[in-house]
Amino acid sequence: MYDDSQFNANINQNFNQDSGNESARRVQWYSVPPEHAEKLGLNTNGPKRSRKWVAGLVAGCMAVSFACGVGGAYLGNYLQDGGNSASSSQLVNGSSTTGATNTSTGTSTGSVEDVVSQVADSVVEIRTESVSYGSFMQQWVESGAGSGVIVTADGYIVTNNHVIEGANTIQVTLRNGESYTATLVGTDEETDVALLKIDATGLTPAVLGDSSTLRVGQTAIVIGNPLGSLGGTVTTGTVSALDREIELEGQTMNLLQTDAAVNPGNSGGGMFDLNGQLIGLIVAKSSGSNVEGLGFAIPVNDVRDVVEQLMNYGYVKGRIDLEMTLVDITSTQEALMYRVDRLGAYVLKVPDGSNAQSAGFQVGDCITAVGSTAVSSSSEITSALADYQVGDSVAFTVVRDGQTMTLNLTLAEHVPS
């Protein structure tokens, strides 16, 4: 399902405009009572002023009022946008961008050209190299490619975990052609999100939108690095569906669907709306001779939460770790190879000192239920654990040597090494 898996294997060959109603701004005139005039130094018995003098006075007051209004609006926007002392490592969240949204109607007014000129510098190319080993001490270097989105001005970049998984080196190329060696900050396999860091400043971060407000049919703009050599490619389409439940690499994910062209190398790239805001992170496409126009993206709200945790802790807190390795046996041939008499999810490895070992799990145990939920695969075990938290004690039903038993496992937190 991932759009880069086969590709990587073969590659060796703001300004917020004031929306106040100007007609509501009225100048109110007040007369000064005579008894207070002398105290204020005003001449109450002076000559009457001509109409020209009065007109000039009114014009002057209006000019001062206009200048104060413009100055106040500028100062307000400066304090709100550019004059704060926020760190450049903070994510940029926003509900409107330059000329993109009609604030009175909530509809998008920006063109695709406007959006691309605004956000193109936020999307980068990613190339990876990893070392693979074969029999007889053989080894070779495999290359991969994908895309990424800049999320802070000082060099934090979000991409997919599968784009950089297993990489020994990660190279990031900006739109202007500058290249940097990236450091891996952290990854989250569950959401397929990874966070990188390059030693650069003054970058153009994407403004993160709100994927909960998306509507089917609105415009989707995809920018990425298809085929690993066409960085900055723009394709357009619509948001075809929301909350598509798709299983990728054993993980069930709720994704946005789009008919904008998505190709190998687009993974980790951005999907933007007509406000110029990031609404999704491209993750996969469906391929096949009879399949066309099916691309998928991780909703930006999910990406935001993961990135903030990776930035702060290096991993996503609260993820459950079974502390044992499982294998799915799904065919008679596999059952014969492993010398078991039934299909299902089996324990392949139990580390010493782990909670799984303390609970009594052994290699060869077949897990048939988590709590009251019957399971037959590792993905079903993961889904069954969705209602539990780190520290909970969970009853696992296992079959060992033809005998059914219950093992109580205290769930540990997954902390990547």
Side-chain angles (χ1 to χ4, degrees):
M1 190 72 179
Y2 284 133
D3 64 334
D4 296 320
S5 57
Q6 185 176 0
F7 169 64
N8 288 342
N10 297 328
I11 197 170
N12 286 312
Q13 303 199 4
N14 286 309
F15 170 82
N16 294 327
Q17 190 173 12
D18 182 8
S19 60
N21 187 350
E22 197 61 39
S23 65
R25 298 178 182 176
R26 296 187 176 89
V27 178
Q28 297 185 354
W29 296 92
Y30 294 91
S31 60
V32 180
E35 59 268 27
H36 297 306
E38 285 187 56
K39 296 181 181 179
L40 295 174
L42 301 180
N43 183 2
T44 58
N45 298 317
K48 294 183 179 180
R49 306 299 182 181
S50 67
R51 290 186 178 181
K52 289 184 178 181
W53 185 90
V54 173
L57 177 61
V58 171
C61 291
M62 292 180 67
V64 172
S65 175
F66 176 80
C68 291
V70 172
Y74 175 84
L75 179 59
N77 280 290
Y78 172 80
L79 292 175
Q80 179 179 354
D81 298 331
N84 58 46
S85 57
S87 167
S88 59
S89 291
Q90 291 181 339
L91 304 182
V92 181
N93 301 290
S95 58
S96 62
T97 52
T98 306
T101 303
N102 183 326
T103 55
S104 63
T105 63
T107 57
S108 301
T109 58
S111 67
V112 173
E113 299 95 314
D114 292 337
V115 172
V116 172
S117 64
Q118 176 185 336
V119 306
D121 287 342
S122 301
V123 182
V124 302
E125 304 172 30
I126 296 177
R127 293 190 65 85
T128 64
E129 289 188 351
S130 58
V131 179
S132 296
Y133 299 90
S135 58
F136 305 107
M137 302 299 292
Q138 291 178 324
Q139 67 178 45
W140 61 91
V141 175
E142 290 187 345
S143 299
S147 309
V149 180
I150 299 170
V151 291
T152 70
D154 60 348
Y156 281 98
I157 296 168
V158 65
T159 185
N160 290 144
N161 174 64
H162 78 264
V163 169
I164 53 82
E165 190 172 21
N168 295 98
T169 61
I170 304 171
Q171 198 76 13
V172 169
T173 301
L174 306 182
R175 188 184 180 216
N176 62 11
E178 295 179 359
S179 291
Y180 299 84
T181 298
T183 300
L184 179 60
V185 177
T187 67
D188 183 50
E189 293 183 5
E190 185 170 318
T191 55
D192 196 26
V193 171
L195 186 64
L196 310 177
K197 179 70 168 66
I198 62 174
D199 187 13
T201 57
L203 303 179
T204 304
V207 176
L208 308 189
D210 182 0
S211 52
S212 68
T213 64
L214 296 179
R215 296 182 299 170
V216 173
Q218 74 178 75
T219 300
I221 303 169
V222 172
I223 305 179
N225 181 30
L227 306 184
S229 58
L230 301 173
T233 295
V234 178
T235 58
T236 61
T238 61
V239 176
S240 305
L242 309 173
D243 297 322
R244 286 292 195 205
E245 191 172 278
I246 305 294
E247 184 173 320
L248 300 173
E249 298 287 315
Q251 295 285 353
T252 300
M253 306 173 67
N254 291 318
L255 304 174
L256 304 174
Q257 180 183 325
T258 181
D259 62 350
V262 172
N263 291 283
N266 270 115
S267 279
M271 183 164 79
F272 300 87
D273 61 14
L274 284 180
N275 295 329
Q277 296 180 356
L278 185 71
I279 56 175
L281 191 71
I282 298 298
V283 65
K285 66 168 293 185
S286 289
S287 59
S289 58
N290 297 321
V291 177
E292 185 176 348
L294 286 179
F296 298 94
I298 307 168
V300 72
N301 289 7
D302 296 341
V303 174
R304 178 191 289 107
D305 294 340
V306 172
V307 167
E308 287 176 345
Q309 296 235 26
L310 293 178
M311 193 179 294
N312 292 328
Y313 309 110
Y315 69 99
V316 178
K317 297 178 72 66
R319 294 280 192 248
I320 292 172
D321 189 351
L322 290 178
E323 294 189 307
M324 53 184 166
T325 304
L326 305 179
V327 60
D328 290 332
I329 297 178
T330 59
S331 67
T332 303
Q333 182 178 0
E334 289 178 332
L336 291 172
M337 183 176 67
Y338 283 98
R339 299 180 181 180
V340 297
D341 58 3
R342 61 189 297 161
L343 306 182
Y346 282 80
V347 177
L348 186 64
K349 183 178 180 181
V350 181
D352 292 337
S354 63
N355 286 3
Q357 185 185 53
S358 299
F361 283 92
Q362 295 181 11
V363 173
D365 287 347
C366 180
I367 301 175
T368 59
V370 176
S372 60
T373 304
V375 296
S376 59
S377 66
S378 56
S379 62
E380 289 182 354
I381 292 173
T382 300
S383 298
L385 290 171
D387 294 331
Y388 295 93
Q389 297 180 348
V390 172
D392 288 348
S393 179
V394 182
F396 283 72
T397 303
V398 303
V399 176
R400 180 188 300 166
D401 299 328
Q403 302 294 318
T404 299
M405 61 186 68
T406 299
L407 302 175
N408 293 309
L409 174 66
T410 299
L411 301 178
E413 183 176 62
H414 175 65
V415 181
S417 57

